[in-house]
Amino acid sequence: MTSMIVLSKNYSESRWCLNELLKILECMEIVKQSVLPVFYDVDPSEVRNQKGSFGEAFAKLKDRFEGNEEVLKWKAALEKLANMSGVELKNYRKESEFIEVIIQWVELRLVNETPLSVAKYLVGIECCKQDIYQHLSLERNDIIRTSLDVCDIDKGINVIKHRLRS
């Protein structure tokens, strides 16, 4: 599982967001969920210390839930999140570069987390191989043998190149 937490100046005003943050960090610990903090127009130190505009928003929420133990959990979670490696908008000249970095991070996680499997008995693979051989005008024995060495592979590549050029 992968989660991306986008922290903005008003993020800490939302009790729902902070409760989701607690759940995401719990999943990170229990099921090793990948988490990317995205700092959008907010500095990680403001999140860590609840300072600046981020801190002002958190103070409003804190006043509404004074004495509630959730506030301490939220504060600890925000500190933990701010100490994690994340992506900060201020480090990029263009927002498009910032978004591209996020996309690459997500793609990397999704590819690595997608289980790939190959069936033990492939059905229909022979006809697919025949189509490939026909398009290349190759006979099966031109390339494939039971044991291949470097010379065989080189010869096969040369056969393919020659057939593609003609």
Side-chain angles (χ1 to χ4, degrees), residues 28-55:
M28 185 180 82
E29 295 294 323
I30 295 171
V31 296
K32 306 300 179 210
Q33 179 173 331
S34 299
V35 176
L36 176 67
V38 176
F39 299 95
Y40 188 86
D41 280 339
V42 66
D43 193 86
S45 66
E46 289 180 2
V47 175
R48 184 178 307 108
N49 303 310
Q50 288 87 47
K51 299 285 184 195
S53 58
F54 190 89

Side-chain angles (χ1 to χ4, degrees), residues 81-94:
L81 186 66
N83 287 330
M84 292 172 60
S85 177
V87 184
E88 298 176 53
L89 176 62
K90 72 177 184 179
N91 293 339
Y92 300 90
R93 289 183 318 152
K94 298 178 186 172

Side-chain angles (χ1 to χ4, degrees), residues 8 29 131 141 145 156 164:
S8 63
E29 295 294 323
D131 286 345
N141 294 332
R145 281 194 243 151
L164 288 174

Side-chain angles (χ1 to χ4, degrees), residues 53-87:
S53 58
F54 190 89
E56 291 169 14
F58 188 71
K60 288 178 191 174
L61 187 73
K62 195 168 132 180
D63 289 342
R64 288 195 340 234
F65 296 97
E66 193 65 42
N68 191 332
E69 70 178 54
E70 275 186 317
V71 175
L72 296 175
K73 290 179 183 177
W74 294 334
K75 188 173 177 143
L78 289 168
E79 189 175 320
K80 182 175 187 169
L81 186 66
N83 287 330
M84 292 172 60
S85 177
V87 184

